């Protein structure tokens, strides 16, 4: 599911946000528990899109109110730049990458999650690692896009992690 989600978004690899989507979308007990806690595929998709949204023009993500507080008028700066240099182009191309054939590579953070799921299963005397171990590790990860996605959805990572480990055996 994570690879399918990454492909749908045109991403070059599978990241922890794609693993989180797979947890939320799982047609198993892991997915049921995740959805009970508010982790839905639509919620993850919406927050991933929000976090990956890039500004369409220079200055789009600049805090105009903060600059105004120190005497800088952002609109005046933008206007002066465009008057003197022409329209400001987007900071990067706005096209998605082409779909790649075969398996997508796994990012370092997602690889760490997969390894940690194996470790988690081993600590609990289980082999191989299952979806509950991966789900618990992914929601408990401290970096990347997962923490801001969970925060935006109002989900407590420790509570969901505990529920996944306790209720999905």
């Amino acid at each position: 599911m994570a690879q399918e989600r990454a492909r749908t978004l045109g991403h070059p690899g599978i990241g922890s946000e794609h693993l989180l989507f797979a947890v939320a979308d799982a047609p198993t007990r892991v997915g049921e528990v995740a959805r009970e806690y508010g982790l839905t595929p639509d919620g993850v998709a919406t927050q991933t899109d929000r976090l990956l949204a890039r500004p369409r023009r220079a200055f789009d993500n600049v805090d105009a109110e903060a600059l105004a507080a120190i005497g800088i008028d952002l609109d005046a700066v933008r206007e002066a730049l465009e008057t003197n240099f022409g329209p400001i182009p987007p900071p990067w191309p706005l096209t998605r990458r082409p779909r790649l054939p075969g398996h997508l590579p796994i990012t370092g953070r997602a690889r760490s999650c997969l390894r940690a799921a194996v470790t988690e299963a081993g600590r609990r005397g289980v082999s191989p690692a299952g979806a509950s171990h991966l789900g618990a590790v992914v929601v408990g990860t401290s970096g990347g896009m997962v923490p801001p996605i969970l925060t935006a959805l109002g989900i407590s990572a420790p509570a969901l992690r505990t529920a996944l480990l306790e209720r999905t055996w």
Side-chain angles (χ1 to χ4, degrees):
M1 279 189 257
Q3 180 165 252
E4 183 179 309
R5 181 66 184 157
R7 284 192 186 285
T8 298
L9 294 172
H11 293 171
I14 300 168
S16 56
E17 67 277 13
H18 306 114
L19 295 175
L20 185 67
F21 181 88
V23 168
D25 197 38
T28 62
R29 183 72 180 132
V30 170
E32 290 172 10
V33 171
R35 290 185 294 276
E36 284 174 22
Y37 276 75
L39 185 67
T40 64
D42 287 343
V44 174
T46 298
Q47 293 308 315
T48 300
D49 289 346
R50 179 187 64 81
L51 291 168
L52 292 175
R54 297 178 173 173
R56 297 296 182 200
R57 301 180 318 147
F59 304 115
D60 277 358
N61 283 348
V62 176
D63 189 342
E65 290 179 22
L67 290 173
I70 59 171
I72 299 172
D73 181 350
L74 184 59
D75 290 330
V77 171
R78 183 182 296 119
E79 185 178 314
L81 283 170
E82 290 183 347
T83 298
N84 290 304
F85 300 106
I88 300 171
W92 42 73
L94 300 177
T95 58
R96 294 199 185 255
R97 295 179 184 187
R99 289 186 173 205
L100 302 172
H103 291 287
L104 294 178
I106 299 172
T107 66
R109 189 173 317 279
R111 184 173 289 111
S112 294
C113 287
L114 294 171
R115 287 183 183 137
V118 171
T119 302
E120 180 73 40
R123 272 198 303 260
R124 295 175 178 276
V126 178
S127 182
S132 60
H133 305 108
L134 180 59
V137 167
V138 170
V139 302
T141 191
S142 61
M145 293 177 58
V146 171
I149 290 171
L150 295 175
T151 298
L153 295 173
I155 298 170
S156 165
L160 178 53
R161 175 180 159 73
T162 299
L164 287 170
L165 288 172
E166 290 178 353
R167 296 176 50 200
T168 58
W169 292 103

